[in-house]
Amino acid sequence: MTSTESRRLSGRLGPIGIVFMVVAAAAPLTVIGGNMPLAMGLGNGAGAPVGFLIASLVLLVFSVGFVTMTPHVPEAGAFFSYVTVGLGQRMGKGIAVVALIAYTAIQVGIYGYIGWAIGDTVAFYDGPVIPWPVYSFVILAVVAVLGYRHIDLSAKVLGVALALEIGIVVILDLAIVTDPGPAGITFASFTPGVFTQGAIGIAILFALTGFIGFEATAVFRDEARDPERTIPRATYAAVILIGAFYTLTVWAFVVAIGPDQVAATAQQTLDGEANMLLDTTDAALGRIGRDIVNILLLTSLFACVLSFHNVIARYQFVLSRKGLLPARLGTVHDNHESPAFSSVVQTVTAAVIVAVLALLGIDPLVGVFGSMAGVATVGMVLLMLTTSVAVLVFFLRHRDLGGGKLWQTRLAPVLAVLGLLASLWLVLSNFTLVTGGSVTVSTILAAVPFVGLVLGALLWRPTRSGV
């Protein structure tokens, strides 16, 4: 590979292509299979759809300020770039470290999940019993090849996987509504008497976890066809699509099972006595439908890990261009026009972490996925909270750039800060439910993003370029 540091990433991704990338990172089918039973069983049962709706609204309000500031952040880098412009280079570097921690954590967690899921599927069909790390490393190798090449190839792969994934769930939702469960078509989930029972905060928590990666639209700025139009459209589309998908599908499962039985069914899923997603699919679409959803669950996990690989590689690329990481990470491949070396480094990093966890004998679900998802959730909320503060500070300092947009530059960022502070409290106060570990282990894991923020800010040193 020969590259020059002066070259930029290039591409002609439109809003649809970028939406595919970030919605794939959210892994909708994975969230329905995993986060939904957690939100119902540990949270507020039949009222869980409202938890997903509230999380969607919080992130939609966050997106208003995020998108309004986009024209004033003329580079890729998402949170790092926004926080640097709004709060300064020291805080920007701290947030850059948090972003790398959060995205690396969720990617490693997904490698553990997909290794377990493939092994479980093979065993279900009477195949050989093979350790989960073997499957994880096979997937890691495929991701490495796709991540090394031009972004358009990944976008096409993710587009196909995502279309199939969403398509089968839409068919499932329609089948449920056509032939509802014992209570018929019910909107009990949205009545105060239902969604206020139990712990709605836990439902919001697991809903927020399901949105990780949606804000990465800005990471693909250099590869977008028309960044000032494409990024805002893609961001709003991603939030609305993910939020609507989650809320409507979770409600459909309440309709299928019944508002009085859904909490118990979800708890049985958590206890390993049932599988809410696959059992409901079997009842609505038959054995063939169940098998299809099972396979698409695997493709959902693959799409998720590929998308996060691309996001992390581009974060490293941008940070290198800013002088915060070795210059070699900021090179562009001559043929593929991709951050190829950064992609290779990301592959090696993930492989090392997965190998260490495998050698330590960590359980792929509770140990690897649960813990890493917990770290990523804390990191994501911290990232968005800091970004909202940066948006507010930026427009207060540059009132002339606001253009009289009081809602976009003042009110929405303030509401986002308040909503995200409440969300952070919910995440931290219920953190053991996310990780499945002890209070001590959970506290240590929850502290990792905060430690990264502090270390990144303290270790920052200005260079001649002012970085």
Side-chain angles (χ1 to χ4, degrees):
M1 181 182 70
T2 59
S3 307
T4 59
E5 295 184 28
S6 61
R7 295 183 60 194
R8 296 170 61 92
L9 297 177
S10 64
R12 293 190 54 79
L13 290 176
I16 295 177
I18 295 178
V19 168
F20 279 153
M21 299 293 291
V22 298
V23 176
L29 189 56
T30 302
V31 172
I32 296 303
N35 294 37
M36 180 180 68
L38 289 166
M40 291 178 169
L42 302 177
N44 59 342
V50 176
F52 282 85
L53 179 61
I54 291 174
S56 303
L57 293 176
V58 170
L59 298 186
L60 192 59
V61 172
F62 161 81
S63 299
V64 172
F66 184 73
V67 163
T68 303
M69 191 172 170
T70 295
H72 309 292
V73 185
E75 63 179 2
F79 292 134
F80 159 74
S81 300
Y82 285 70
V83 173
T84 298
V85 172
L87 300 179
Q89 296 161 353
R90 185 180 294 277
M91 185 60 73
K93 183 173 182 181
I95 282 299
V97 175
V98 175
L100 287 177
I101 289 173
Y103 289 131
T104 299
I106 192 62
Q107 186 197 37
V108 170
I110 295 297
Y111 275 127
Y113 193 159
I114 196 171
W116 172 87
I118 295 175
D120 184 66
T121 299
V122 172
F124 179 81
Y125 294 105
D126 299 322
V129 177
I130 299 175
W132 68 267
V134 175
Y135 295 115
S136 295
F137 277 106
V138 170
I139 296 299
L140 196 149
V142 177
V143 169
V145 172
L146 293 174
Y148 187 85
R149 300 176 66 85
H150 194 278
I151 191 66
D152 286 345
L153 178 59
S154 291
K156 291 175 182 177
V157 172
L158 292 174
V160 173
L162 184 62
L164 293 174
E165 178 182 345
I166 291 182
I168 190 64
V169 177
V170 170
I171 292 173
L172 175 60
D173 291 347
L174 291 174
I176 291 173
V177 173
T178 302
D179 186 16
I185 301 295
T186 173
F187 296 96
S189 296
F190 303 98
T191 60
V194 173
F195 69 73
T196 56
Q197 294 181 352
I200 189 173
I202 294 179
I204 296 173
L205 182 157
F206 286 109
L208 287 171
T209 304
F211 278 88
I212 292 178
F214 89 92
E215 78 297 331
T217 50
V219 174
F220 300 99
R221 182 181 185 88
D222 290 344
E223 294 151 291
R225 183 182 302 125
D226 183 1
E228 292 193 9
R229 292 186 178 182
T230 300
I231 301 304
R233 291 175 181 175
T235 302
Y236 284 131
V239 175
I240 293 172
L241 179 59
I242 296 172
F245 182 90
Y246 289 162
T247 303
L248 292 175
T249 301
V250 173
W251 168 74
F253 273 77
V254 174
V255 171
I257 300 169
D260 296 331
Q261 295 82 28
V262 71
T265 301
Q267 188 58 55
Q268 290 174 351
T269 300
L270 300 182
D271 295 337
E273 301 172 0
N275 188 311
M276 178 181 283
L277 172 62
L278 297 182
D279 293 346
T280 303
T281 303
D282 198 336
L285 301 179
R287 177 60 184 271
I288 295 179
R290 183 190 191 281
D291 292 341
I292 292 174
V293 169
N294 196 6
I295 296 301
L296 290 180
L297 176 61
L298 300 181
T299 64
S300 172
L301 289 166
F302 173 76
C304 177
V305 79
L306 173 59
S307 185
F308 277 119
H309 175 95
N310 286 327
V311 169
I312 297 169
R314 280 150 184 81
Y315 255 109
Q316 293 175 161
F317 176 88
V318 172
L319 295 179
S320 173
R321 290 297 182 96
K322 301 294 290 184
L324 304 179
L325 288 177
R328 185 71 186 280
L329 291 169
T331 56
V332 181
H333 195 285
D334 285 339
N335 295 327
H336 301 307
E337 297 182 323
S338 65
F341 185 77
S342 180
S343 177
V344 171
V345 170
Q346 164 54 23
T347 297
V348 173
T349 301
V352 170
I353 297 175
V354 171
V356 170
L357 294 173
L359 291 173
L360 291 175
I362 304 297
D363 180 80
L365 283 182
V366 177
V368 179
F369 177 71
S371 298
M372 294 298 100
V375 173
T377 302
V378 174
M380 182 199 74
V381 177
L382 183 58
L383 287 166
M384 291 194 295
L385 176 60
T386 310
T387 301
S388 294
V389 174
V391 172
L392 184 61
V393 171
F394 175 81
F395 284 112
L396 286 174
R397 289 177 176 174
H398 304 278
R399 299 177 185 275
D400 56 313
L401 298 178
K405 300 176 180 178
L406 182 62
W407 163 247
Q408 294 93 325
T409 62
R410 303 287 195 279
L411 298 180
V414 169
L415 290 175
V417 168
L418 295 176
L420 290 166
L421 280 173
S423 300
L424 184 60
W425 178 82
L426 289 172
V427 171
L428 294 177
S429 61
N430 296 284
F431 199 64
T432 54
L433 295 175
V434 182
T435 64
S438 66
V439 174
T440 301
V441 172
S442 297
T443 300
I444 294 173
L445 290 173
V448 171
F450 293 96
V451 172
L453 175 63
V454 173
L455 290 179
L458 292 179
L459 295 177
W460 173 80
R461 292 292 183 273
T463 63
R464 294 179 180 179
S465 62
V467 178

